[in-house]
Amino acid sequence: MSSTSRLRSLNIDNINPHVKAAKYAVRGELAIKSEEYRAQLKHKNPPTPPDSPLPFDTVISANIGNPQQLDQKPITFFRQVLALLENPGLLENEEALKSSFSYKQDTIDRARWLLREIGSVGAYSQSAGAPGIRQSVADFIERRDGFPSDKDQIYLSAGASSGVNTLLHIICANPKTGVLVPIPQYPLYTATLSILNARCVPYYLDESHAWGTDLNVIKEAYDKAVSEGTDVRAVVIINPGNPTGASLPEQDVEAVIRFAAEKKLVVMADEVYQTNVFVGKFHSFKQVLCKLQKASPGTYDNVELASLNSVSKGMVGECGHRAGYFELVGFDEEVRAQIYKFISIMLCPPVIGQCLMELVVNPPKEGDPSFELYNKEYNGVKNGLKERAQALYEAFKEMEGVEIGEPQGSMYLFPTIHIPQKAVEAAKKADRSPDEFYCLRLLDATGICVVPGSGFGQKPNTLHLRTTFLAPGTDWVGRWTTFHKEFLEKYN
Amino acid sequence: MSSTSRLRSLNIDNINPHVKAAKYAVRGELAIKSEEYRAQLKHKNPPTPPDSPLPFDTVISANIGNPQQLDQKPITFFRQVLALLENPGLLENEEALKSSFSYKQDTIDRARWLLREIGSVGAYSQSAGAPGIRQSVADFIERRDGFPSDKDQIYLSAGASSGVNTLLHIICANPKTGVLVPIPQYPLYTATLSILNARCVPYYLDESHAWGTDLNVIKEAYDKAVSEGTDVRAVVIINPGNPTGASLPEQDVEAVIRFAAEKKLVVMADEVYQTNVFVGKFHSFKQVLCKLQKASPGTYDNVELASLNSVSKGMVGECGHRAGYFELVGFDEEVRAQIYKFISIMLCPPVIGQCLMELVVNPPKEGDPSFELYNKEYNGVKNGLKERAQALYEAFKEMEGVEIGEPQGSMYLFPTIHIPQKAVEAAKKADRSPDEFYCLRLLDATGICVVPGSGFGQKPNTLHLRTTFLAPGTDWVGRWTTFHKEFLEKYN
């Protein structure tokens, strides 16, 4: 037996090839290396020769939109309610809560209401989420869009990622199924399509027009895919864009819907950055679809739209809670029954996260006791993000060989970088793409972790990187500027 | 365009056929109906003719192990710490916490420690979980088993279900991949294998021997599968059993490991009920494997074991928090890198759930200020579960045509039911299996929701049902006894 037992069941050549094929650079090699640096700094491990001490004293994780890992504070109202839900025993002494901990009456009332709706945050809820919370989400969508929303079309999820996973599982029927995905894109889409052994049908966003969505480009991508035998079933739109920050004008949203109606495509609208808009205005796909339906009765009745939202983004930044939702419009009943079955296998999304989603879509209103503080905190985060985006943008503008448009929204900048020929050669020698090479050098020299453009997709012969603008202060931006100068000097 | 737009992209015949093929009865038709009854009772909706009022005033969800949906109270220590993590502002007034809310010093200290480890429950953690929490889980496993455990082999997950999903995604390489699954089983396994288009290789548990695991039966199932061209890659063991409650003796665990070593199978040990044992003793696969490795150096070095645990079961019952972990032993490094990539696509498990997992594996110790209350609450739940199991068992023993063994563990009873021929015919007429027919009638008559044995798999020509024994009181058991009598009278 000892001879057979030396071999394992699983090795890199016999596991699921579709998992192997998936790429997800946001938490890839660079992120892993940055975590090692972080651990090294935390434990002050003496460097083992021949390593020299790290040339920086903090790691800046600009690879992922994770505001509370940096210095963003959570919003007090949300967290006070969540504390009451975790420990309802606190509610037994309202007076002490108010006097010693400045809890306001609306905070206490909301916690009591949520507890009635869910029973306990320790109990499984219905698989699509607690009915009262779904109703609250539907009410929010009605207020936002001015059109009806039905709680039975709302599915709470463990972050928007889990919602995307669900929807793509339903849509991807066989290896010929194709989904139109913007490039550059948040790589959740391509990774999940890989795992499902379905086809990504890429369409390029237009960098020269502030990363806009050009319908002609989508059409070309669609026609090409169809001519190659791909059964295109859905189109993904990330609005505001990730990694681009672009915010779509209403007519572009409309154009996508018209196209989807014509070609019978499911529209997957990733709208997790809906409140992170600096330039222009957010137009939800749901609202624009309802307007079209109203204007041309009958024509758009069966457009299938899934729009996704999250507690991780916006001014909330509660990524660790893994909460989100998607709303369906126009889906077939039998298909929805399959969606229900699929999500029920994982039982339900985290219940405390569901409650947080409720708080996010239904925050204190003007006149409520908690409103003033909520509003101050919310605007503080909002202004802070804008300032940080602007500061980083100014720094990039000064860097030689970096091209960048004005920050528009989301949490990212996605500049073009021009890399000297010698650096391209050095990258090739190191078996790296040039953007990856640059980002690795940046990490090693400064502790700043960003993601190479290749992790999101980019037009051939262009190079980019994605960085969040969440990190506070200007010190890290200075480190980057210095590195960039030295990098160019070395390779020019 | 209106003619094309009337057709949808997705319908029941063109979505993912593997999702369609999956079955998951735990939250299936009966559970949905029971939720409708619950909503009807909550809102006291007047019944629409020709419906008559419901003949019961509460719904008993005995279909799913969801203790806190019934009357199980959460453990105070856990929830106090979680409240502090959600709202660290509470820590700013320790005196008030202690005097007004009876917080103990160890509660406060633990919250401070966890906050240092995670930064914020609102921040994404590393994808396998926060390192400090993984270390705490590894320490627990070492204490439990008396053998080393490495934090880098621990993967926190959103409940054990998510861990199973990850592992099966890696293992299932193509449609010929097979996984040995006990029958009856918790249907997560068969459902996930369906979705992955892989093969379930069923092996029957032995009802006549307290639902034991017979290695000869596993061997036969394996040989048969191999002869049919199946590439069997893993064996699932649920210990203690779900739905059976059976707890494996050490020699049975050993036999499975020896067999897995011989045939190069990954062992997936679902050990979420490890503390829910009334009869016998829990033997972890990790411990038994380590003993074998010690006894025969070299022989079992490359056995691949994944063992899963959860906060949802035990005396904790924190299902809604969706937290768990799996530990790997003997997995190839490159395969582990793929597991990391796979989980990183969903970013990380809920961070507050990770913290709860830490509390569960590292509860107050004797001498700690919180120990007395913790211990009292823990034992209260434990004794309550045993008493409820016993009461339900006694009731089943009195029912005509019901066969049942003594409760052994987990949260379920899985009796055999003999259904009169006339009822079998009525079921056939209603296009139902007889066990499903019985369970539907039970729900309609009493509000008690249980799962037909067919939802877990059962030997041909046998019928069962699974019920939790979590519901308090004897009223519902009385309702069931009366229903059963009337059912037999009607159909005999």
Side-chain angles (χ1 to χ4, degrees), chain B residues 363-378:
Chain B
K365 286 181 246 330
E366 208 159 346
D368 290 349
S370 295
F371 179 75
E372 198 185 339
L373 179 61
Y374 167 78
N375 198 42
K376 191 179 144 208
E377 291 174 338
Y378 188 93

Tab-separated table of all heavy atoms in Angstrom, chain B residues 363-378:
chain	number	residue	atom	x	y	z
B	363	PRO	N	-14.040	29.021	23.782
B	363	PRO	CA	-14.999	29.630	24.711
B	363	PRO	C	-14.343	29.890	26.067
B	363	PRO	O	-13.190	29.512	26.270
B	363	PRO	CB	-16.074	28.547	24.832
B	363	PRO	CG	-15.345	27.261	24.620
B	363	PRO	CD	-14.239	27.572	23.634
B	364	PRO	N	-15.058	30.540	26.968
B	364	PRO	CA	-14.488	30.789	28.300
B	364	PRO	C	-14.060	29.476	28.954
B	364	PRO	O	-14.722	28.447	28.795
B	364	PRO	CB	-15.657	31.416	29.065
B	364	PRO	CG	-16.552	31.979	28.025
B	364	PRO	CD	-16.422	31.088	26.834
B	365	LYS	N	-12.941	29.540	29.659
B	365	LYS	CA	-12.420	28.351	30.348
B	365	LYS	C	-12.757	28.450	31.833
B	365	LYS	O	-12.987	29.550	32.345
B	365	LYS	CB	-10.900	28.312	30.195
B	365	LYS	CG	-10.420	27.926	28.815
B	365	LYS	CD	-8.898	27.882	28.751
B	365	LYS	CE	-8.293	28.938	27.839
B	365	LYS	NZ	-8.983	29.433	26.693
B	366	GLU	N	-12.728	27.328	32.512
B	366	GLU	CA	-12.974	27.307	33.943
B	366	GLU	C	-12.061	28.337	34.614
B	366	GLU	O	-10.864	28.399	34.316
B	366	GLU	CB	-12.708	25.905	34.508
B	366	GLU	CG	-13.560	25.657	35.731
B	366	GLU	CD	-13.756	24.180	36.063
B	366	GLU	OE1	-13.466	23.307	35.210
B	366	GLU	OE2	-14.204	23.921	37.183
B	367	GLY	N	-12.659	29.128	35.437
B	367	GLY	CA	-11.887	30.176	36.112
B	367	GLY	C	-12.066	31.540	35.461
B	367	GLY	O	-11.886	32.569	36.101
B	368	ASP	N	-12.420	31.574	34.177
B	368	ASP	CA	-12.689	32.854	33.508
B	368	ASP	C	-13.996	33.441	34.054
B	368	ASP	O	-14.924	32.696	34.381
B	368	ASP	CB	-12.845	32.657	31.990
B	368	ASP	CG	-11.531	32.292	31.307
B	368	ASP	OD1	-10.467	32.400	31.958
B	368	ASP	OD2	-11.565	31.882	30.132
B	369	PRO	N	-14.073	34.773	34.098
B	369	PRO	CA	-15.291	35.391	34.653
B	369	PRO	C	-16.583	34.969	33.948
B	369	PRO	O	-17.623	34.861	34.585
B	369	PRO	CB	-15.038	36.894	34.476
B	369	PRO	CG	-13.563	37.041	34.323
B	369	PRO	CD	-13.042	35.763	33.758
B	370	SER	N	-16.512	34.706	32.658
B	370	SER	CA	-17.738	34.361	31.926
B	370	SER	C	-18.036	32.864	31.932
B	370	SER	O	-19.045	32.432	31.374
B	370	SER	CB	-17.641	34.818	30.460
B	370	SER	OG	-17.575	36.209	30.383
B	371	PHE	N	-17.152	32.087	32.556
B	371	PHE	CA	-17.294	30.635	32.418
B	371	PHE	C	-18.602	30.090	32.986
B	371	PHE	O	-19.279	29.284	32.352
B	371	PHE	CB	-16.120	29.896	33.066
B	371	PHE	CG	-16.264	28.405	32.967
B	371	PHE	CD1	-16.031	27.755	31.758
B	371	PHE	CD2	-16.677	27.644	34.065
B	371	PHE	CE1	-16.200	26.373	31.658
B	371	PHE	CE2	-16.853	26.274	33.958
B	371	PHE	CZ	-16.607	25.632	32.760
B	372	GLU	N	-18.943	30.558	34.186
B	372	GLU	CA	-20.093	29.957	34.871
B	372	GLU	C	-21.368	30.065	34.029
B	372	GLU	O	-22.065	29.069	33.794
B	372	GLU	CB	-20.283	30.637	36.225
B	372	GLU	CG	-21.144	29.821	37.178
B	372	GLU	CD	-21.402	30.603	38.481
B	372	GLU	OE1	-20.625	31.532	38.783
B	372	GLU	OE2	-22.391	30.298	39.154
B	373	LEU	N	-21.636	31.275	33.556
B	373	LEU	CA	-22.843	31.466	32.754
B	373	LEU	C	-22.760	30.683	31.446
B	373	LEU	O	-23.724	30.040	31.021
B	373	LEU	CB	-23.056	32.965	32.467
B	373	LEU	CG	-24.276	33.295	31.615
B	373	LEU	CD1	-25.566	32.840	32.298
B	373	LEU	CD2	-24.344	34.804	31.322
B	374	TYR	N	-21.585	30.752	30.811
B	374	TYR	CA	-21.398	30.014	29.553
B	374	TYR	C	-21.711	28.529	29.749
B	374	TYR	O	-22.453	27.917	28.988
B	374	TYR	CB	-19.961	30.185	29.057
B	374	TYR	CG	-19.605	29.220	27.943
B	374	TYR	CD1	-20.038	29.451	26.637
B	374	TYR	CD2	-18.884	28.057	28.199
B	374	TYR	CE1	-19.755	28.559	25.623
B	374	TYR	CE2	-18.590	27.160	27.181
B	374	TYR	CZ	-19.027	27.412	25.896
B	374	TYR	OH	-18.753	26.527	24.891
B	375	ASN	N	-21.138	27.983	30.791
B	375	ASN	CA	-21.279	26.566	31.059
B	375	ASN	C	-22.739	26.189	31.326
B	375	ASN	O	-23.245	25.175	30.845
B	375	ASN	CB	-20.411	26.223	32.276
B	375	ASN	CG	-20.137	24.740	32.365
B	375	ASN	OD1	-19.861	24.105	31.344
B	375	ASN	ND2	-20.219	24.194	33.563
B	376	LYS	N	-23.396	27.048	32.078
B	376	LYS	CA	-24.798	26.804	32.406
B	376	LYS	C	-25.651	26.831	31.117
B	376	LYS	O	-26.489	25.956	30.888
B	376	LYS	CB	-25.263	27.897	33.370
B	376	LYS	CG	-26.606	27.631	34.009
B	376	LYS	CD	-26.976	28.759	34.963
B	376	LYS	CE	-28.482	28.984	34.887
B	376	LYS	NZ	-28.859	30.349	35.188
B	377	GLU	N	-25.396	27.831	30.294
B	377	GLU	CA	-26.177	27.944	29.056
B	377	GLU	C	-25.894	26.764	28.123
B	377	GLU	O	-26.802	26.185	27.524
B	377	GLU	CB	-25.849	29.265	28.345
B	377	GLU	CG	-26.364	30.484	29.108
B	377	GLU	CD	-25.930	31.817	28.489
B	377	GLU	OE1	-24.922	31.846	27.746
B	377	GLU	OE2	-26.589	32.824	28.758
B	378	TYR	N	-24.619	26.422	28.010
B	378	TYR	CA	-24.210	25.330	27.121
B	378	TYR	C	-24.881	24.025	27.539
B	378	TYR	O	-25.483	23.331	26.722
B	378	TYR	CB	-22.689	25.196	27.175
B	378	TYR	CG	-22.103	24.232	26.164
B	378	TYR	CD1	-21.675	24.689	24.922
B	378	TYR	CD2	-21.977	22.874	26.447
B	378	TYR	CE1	-21.123	23.818	23.989
B	378	TYR	CE2	-21.440	21.995	25.516
B	378	TYR	CZ	-21.011	22.472	24.300
B	378	TYR	OH	-20.485	21.608	23.365
